[in-house]
Amino acid sequence: MSPWVIILAALLFGFALDRYPTHYIDEAFFVFAAVRAAAGGPFTYRVSSQEPYGDSVWALHGPLMPHISYWLYRLFGFSLLASRLPNYIAA
């Protein structure tokens, strides 16, 4: 397969990031810290009342994704496109 076919397919899929596929169940979990920070709150939030250090854990995943999403929300506003853009670029 030609690399141009793969590049063309990736570009075409990029134009549909905000429309297809519909939202996944875990999308809201991974971007909630960034949404909360962009709205003026802290990055940390209680994931579970039984988690140790529940108020200081970065949603049980590293801080890079929330920080990237935070800046994308500041640039593009709250949308599916801004939520999916970091994963699309990383892939």
Side-chain angles (χ1 to χ4, degrees), residues 77-90:
F78 298 106
S79 67
L80 277 176
L81 177 67
S83 296
R84 294 177 175 172
L85 200 56
N87 294 327
Y88 174 73
I89 292 171

Side-chain angles (χ1 to χ4, degrees), residues 55-89:
D55 290 331
S56 60
V57 174
W58 286 74
L60 300 178
H61 58 290
L64 184 61
M65 178 69 172
H67 275 94
I68 292 172
S69 296
Y70 168 79
W71 286 108
L72 287 172
Y73 290 145
R74 300 283 296 192
L75 290 172
F76 300 117
F78 298 106
S79 67
L80 277 176
L81 177 67
S83 296
R84 294 177 175 172
L85 200 56
N87 294 327
Y88 174 73
I89 292 171

